[in-house]
């Protein structure tokens, strides 16, 4: 999608909008119970929405700048930021020495993959890192602010999407609206007309909603370690499929670095509850 529609702010806006629209649809049709939200709860949710918004904007910008496989290799370093941010901002947080040891192959693998990456550029690298910080900050904020919020996962994600969309939309439109006609014309030259392009944007947003909801559902049904292992396998699947689909050039060092980083994430998933 970003190859034919490179306006990452608008892509993010569609992702957030679809999350809110699906939530509203389920509420209106009574397919899912609407849970009344108070002003105090919205105030508690809003910092999470900002972190969610920033994480998605940075991810889409990184994907625009670099190969999908490399962006997700960098995002495999999320455990490192989880540990660092947790230690910095959550009082009393401590980790088993094995957790710190598991960070070594993660950092080493991402470093090795970075220095040997064909598509490397600093904007893509730094925004992928910023995405990690944003999403892990969201998790820390969740622990800090969500104690008095009593919403199920779907209601919570719908409100996060709505608040994120309302915040981003004015900025996205101000930055991208003047470019729409030119981008749509360029997409048409590549064989993607307006209606199919809108369909791709909506599909992207809907799949983004499904990914987040399935992640919450799985977390409810399995223990956190099993969920973390599944998340690691998801990362492997994304990296492998992106290389096969987009045929991005990869070096042996790049593959080795990716493998070391993923192995570190798998080890972290097993030892983080010690």
């Amino acid at each position: 999608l970003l190859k034919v529609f490179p306006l990452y702010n608008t892509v993010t806006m569609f992702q957030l909008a679809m999350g809110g629209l699906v939530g509203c649809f389920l509420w209106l049709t009574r397919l899912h119970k609407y849970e009344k939200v108070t002003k105090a709860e919205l105030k508690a949710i809003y910092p999470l929405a900002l972190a969610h918004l920033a994480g998605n904007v940075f991810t889409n910008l990184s994907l625009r700048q670099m190969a999908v496989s490399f962006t997700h290799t960098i995002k495999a370093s999320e455990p490192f930021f989880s540990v660092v941010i947790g230690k910095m901002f959550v009082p009393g947080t401590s980790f088993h020495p094995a957790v710190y040891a598991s960070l070594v192959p993660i950092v080493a693998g991402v470093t090795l993959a970075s220095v040997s990456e064909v598509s490397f550029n600093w904007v893509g690298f730094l925004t992928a890192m910023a995405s990690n910080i944003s999403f892990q900050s969201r998790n820390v904020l969740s622990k800090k602010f969500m104690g008095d919020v009593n919403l199920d996962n779907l209601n919570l994600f719908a409100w996060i999407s709505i608040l994120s969309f309302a915040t981003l939309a004015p900025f996205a439109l101000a930055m991208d609206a003047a470019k729409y006609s030119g981008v749509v014309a360029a997409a048409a030259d590549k064989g993607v007309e307006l209606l199919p392009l809108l369909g791709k944007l909506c599909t992207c947003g809907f799949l983004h909603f499904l990914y987040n909801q399935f992640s919450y559902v799985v977390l409810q049904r399995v223990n956190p370690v099993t969920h973390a292992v599944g998340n690691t396998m998801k990362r492997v699947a994304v990296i492998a499929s992106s290389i096969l689909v987009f045929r991005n050039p990869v070096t042996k060092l790049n593959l080795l670095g990716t493998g070391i980083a993923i192995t570190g994430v798998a080890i972290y998933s097993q030892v983080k509850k010690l």
Side-chain angles (χ1 to χ4, degrees):
L1 175 60
L2 288 167
K3 288 182 177 295
V4 295
F5 193 85
L7 304 178
Y8 56 90
N9 284 311
T10 298
V11 171
T12 306
M13 184 176 69
F14 268 83
Q15 291 175 330
L16 301 175
M18 287 302 294
L21 287 173
V22 172
C24 291
F25 172 79
L26 295 176
W27 291 334
L28 291 172
T29 57
R30 298 186 179 181
L31 293 174
H32 190 88
K33 182 181 178 181
Y34 170 76
E35 296 178 352
K36 187 176 181 180
V37 63
T38 66
K39 289 183 179 180
E41 287 176 326
L42 288 177
K43 186 177 179 180
I45 293 170
Y46 192 62
L48 276 73
L50 290 179
H52 180 72
L53 163 60
N56 281 287
V57 169
F58 286 134
T59 296
N60 285 329
L61 175 53
S62 180
L63 290 171
R64 176 72 186 91
Q65 296 290 324
M66 302 188 304
V68 174
S69 56
F70 184 49
T71 292
H72 280 273
T73 297
I74 296 173
K75 286 179 69 62
S77 63
E78 282 181 352
F80 172 81
F81 292 97
S82 178
V83 170
V84 172
I85 293 173
K87 288 289 290 183
M88 290 175 62
F89 297 107
V90 180
T93 299
S94 62
F95 298 97
H96 191 277
V99 171
Y100 294 110
S102 72
L103 300 179
V104 175
I106 294 175
V107 174
V110 170
T111 302
L112 183 60
S114 298
V115 298
S116 58
E117 171 59 36
V118 176
S119 68
F120 179 89
N121 69 71
W122 281 106
V123 173
F125 177 81
L126 293 175
T127 50
M129 287 295 187
S131 170
N132 284 340
I133 294 171
S134 297
F135 284 130
Q136 295 311 311
S137 297
R138 180 187 61 182
N139 295 341
V140 171
L141 290 169
S142 178
K143 293 179 182 179
K144 187 172 182 178
F145 293 109
M146 294 300 291
D148 297 324
V149 176
N150 297 307
L151 298 173
D152 65 24
N153 287 325
L154 192 144
N155 277 275
L156 175 59
F157 184 68
W159 278 110
I160 287 176
S161 298
I162 290 168
L163 293 173
S164 299
F165 170 78
T167 302
L168 175 63
F171 295 98
L173 293 173
M175 295 176 67
D176 292 349
K179 305 174 186 176
Y180 288 157
S181 59
V183 170
V184 170
D189 291 338
K190 296 177 181 178
V192 183
E193 299 296 334
L194 177 59
L195 288 180
L197 181 59
L198 288 174
K200 289 179 182 291
L201 285 165
C202 291
T203 300
C204 176
F206 184 65
L207 292 174
H208 179 263
F209 164 80
L210 288 181
Y211 163 72
N212 282 277
Q213 282 306 301
F214 282 140
S215 180
Y216 283 129
V217 169
V218 171
L219 184 57
Q220 282 185 324
R221 296 176 181 271
V222 303
N223 64 57
V225 173
T226 302
H227 183 267
V229 173
N231 213 27
T232 302
M233 297 310 297
K234 176 210 74 176
R235 192 78 69 196
V236 173
V238 170
I239 292 171
S241 60
S242 68
I243 292 173
L244 292 173
V245 172
F246 297 111
R247 300 191 180 281
N248 300 319
V250 291
T251 66
K252 291 181 179 180
L253 280 178
N254 185 261
L255 289 174
L256 178 61
T258 300
I260 292 173
I262 294 298
T263 300
V265 174
I267 296 171
Y268 170 85
S269 300
Q270 297 298 313
V271 302
K272 70 176 182 178
K273 291 299 180 181
L274 294 176

